[in-house]
Every structure is written in C-alpha cells, then in structure tokens.
Amino acid sequence: MNLNETPQTATGGPAIVLVEPQLGENIGMVARAMANFGLADLRLVAPRDGWPNEKARAAASSADHVIDAARVYACLAEAVADLNVVLATTARSREVPKRVLGPREAATEIRRRESEGQAAGILFGRERWGLTNEEIGYADAIVTFPVNPRFASLNIAQSALLMSYEWLQAGLAEGELPTRFAIPATDTTPAPKAELVGLMEHLETALEPTGYFRTPEKKPVLIRNLRAILQRPGFTTMEVRALRGVIAAFQGRKARAEHHEES
C-alpha cells in the first residue's frame, strides 16, 4: 500500500473474510479496524442478519468506503475462489493438520505472496464458535494469536484489528512510521554567519535602552558572553528568524508602553 494514499483510496492487502457473522455491530467494527490500517476488501459469507446492515454502518465509524464495497457470498468456496493463499484465524486444531503461524509471521508471508502477484485472504469465524474444520480446510495455514491462555477469547473485530495492524507493519522498514505519523524532515544546516551576526546586533540594540549593560566598562564583556551563548546551539535560518521575531515583539511592546505613558 502507498502510505501517501488516503484510507478511502488505498488498495491492496488481503481480503478480510467473515464467515457467517452474526452481529452487524461486529461487522462494522471489523470495517473500522480495516480502514485504520489501509485495508478495504471485506467479504461476508452468509451474514445472519442480511446485508446491507445499518448497525454495521453505524459501528464502522465513518469507514463507509469499506462498508459500501463489502461483497456478500452464499458460501465460503465462492468467497475465496479468486484467492491464491488463504489463512484461517483459529486456535490450533489437532484434527486439521496445518502449518501454524503467529500474526507477524502470517503478515510477512502475505506481503511476500502479494509481491509475487498472489491474492491473499484471511478467514475469521463466527462470534460464538469460530470456523469449522471443513472451513479451515480451505486455508493454507492457521494463524493463532499469542494471548493469555487464562483469558484467550478474542472477538472478530479484535482479531481483524491485530491482523490488519501486522499487515501494515510488515510493509514498513524498521523504525519507519506511516506518512501520517512521520516526523517531517527539517533543515538542520546552521545559519550563515551574517544572519547570526544580525541576530546578535539586533539583541544588543534591544538591550541597550533597558540598562542591561549597566556600565560602559562592562558592556564589551557582556556582549562577548551573549555572542558565545548564541554561537553555541548552531541555530538554523528559521531559528534565527524566530528569535529575531521574539526580540522585535518585545521592542514593539516597550514602544507601545512608552507611547501610552506619554499620552
């Protein structure tokens, strides 16, 4: 996915396939999770309450582009017919021998398959009992989440969010952030000496009428100390301009105060 794309125009990524989802609210929360991480292909297999579903739209919290594009299928076979690789989110099943992946490993594999031009999908089961062994049979591998074994229950929206997050993370370089959160590059080149001298002279001019220099004898030493302080940080041009703006603001305030006293 191009991180400069808006969520509404982002394309690519795995299809999120919900098998017989029962509550419209859960479908909506899955759509919201998908939109958060740039996914848009939502497929619904025989949703219990039919489709479209206004409760789903309300719960999607403005992820309308995902809701509007959602496709409904009568059976799982139809929903995954165009996919080259399918992963099923479920607890490990002894009855269905499949390769078992963690969410991060699964997301990395999806990215690799996508780079080879393969279409991928992730299956999520019913809220109450998940996927059947027959449905898991459509998958190339199982995805199991590393959760607290004493409280291992995740709803489908949580599961979809985890997989969507890992898919986005798998497409970023180490330490990279999506464009929206990245810190913009700034010019850290030190300002030319002429600009720094101008700042120093501006500060000296502003301080002169305040009595800061106390006596003519102490002025050269105080000026030298101030210049040493201003040289140390390596101010950029923008920083020099900002500091001169601060000085000018104080000068303007003092001039207005003096004018008020005279009037």
Side-chain angles (χ1 to χ4, degrees):
M1 182 188 72
N2 181 347
L3 293 176
N4 290 314
E5 293 178 302
T6 66
Q8 287 74 19
T9 62
T11 57
I16 299 298
V17 184
L18 306 186
V19 179
E20 297 185 2
Q22 296 166 287
L23 297 174
E25 292 88 342
N26 285 337
I27 298 172
M29 287 188 285
V30 168
R32 180 177 182 178
M34 291 172 62
N36 285 150
F37 299 102
L39 299 180
D41 187 356
L42 175 60
R43 305 183 183 193
L44 309 175
V45 178
R48 185 189 67 180
D49 296 336
W51 195 260
N53 187 304
E54 288 308 311
K55 290 183 178 179
R57 185 176 298 277
S61 189
S62 298
D64 291 333
H65 62 292
V66 178
I67 294 294
D68 291 338
R71 288 176 281 179
V72 179
Y73 299 85
C75 64
L76 180 57
E78 293 179 3
V80 301
D82 63 327
L83 302 179
N84 304 105
V85 57
V86 174
L87 305 180
T89 58
T90 183
R92 187 175 304 192
S93 173
R94 294 179 182 177
E95 298 177 28
V96 184
K98 295 280 183 182
R99 189 162 53 108
V100 179
L101 308 174
R104 189 159 300 174
E105 186 182 6
T108 300
E109 174 150 339
I110 289 172
R111 285 282 185 178
R112 180 180 64 80
R113 296 292 194 105
E114 288 177 334
S115 71
E116 297 171 355
Q118 300 181 36
I122 308 173
L123 307 185
F124 298 86
R126 303 156 189 81
E127 289 91 330
R128 289 190 178 181
W129 67 88
L131 297 166
T132 66
N133 286 341
E134 182 181 355
E135 290 159 351
I136 295 172
Y138 284 92
D140 299 281
I142 288 171
V143 182
T144 297
F145 299 105
V147 294
N148 177 3
R150 298 179 62 183
F151 196 78
S153 176
L154 291 176
N155 65 36
I156 57 173
Q158 291 171 322
S159 299
L161 185 143
L162 284 171
M163 285 307 305
S164 300
Y165 168 81
E166 291 294 353
W167 175 80
L168 179 61
Q169 284 292 103
L172 302 177
E174 186 174 353
E176 182 185 0
L177 291 175
T179 302
R180 178 184 171 192
F181 303 107
I183 299 172
T186 55
D187 184 3
T188 58
T189 305
K193 292 300 179 184
E195 293 182 6
L196 199 56
V197 169
L199 170 63
M200 296 171 182
E201 292 175 346
H202 190 176
L203 181 59
E204 291 163 20
T205 299
L207 288 173
E208 187 70 51
T210 67
Y212 174 81
F213 296 117
R214 304 176 195 170
T215 65
E217 294 78 15
K218 291 185 176 181
K219 182 176 179 179
V221 175
L222 291 172
I223 288 176
R224 187 166 60 248
N225 291 342
L226 285 173
R227 292 193 172 201
I229 292 171
L230 293 174
Q231 289 269 20
R232 196 175 301 143
F235 290 124
T236 65
T237 293
M238 292 297 295
E239 291 168 337
V240 168
R241 290 175 182 173
L243 289 172
R244 293 196 67 166
V246 171
I247 296 168
F250 278 115
Q251 287 178 306
R253 181 177 180 182
K254 185 175 184 299
R256 289 192 296 272
E258 290 174 351
H259 176 74
H260 180 73
E261 289 175 0
E262 290 175 0
S263 59

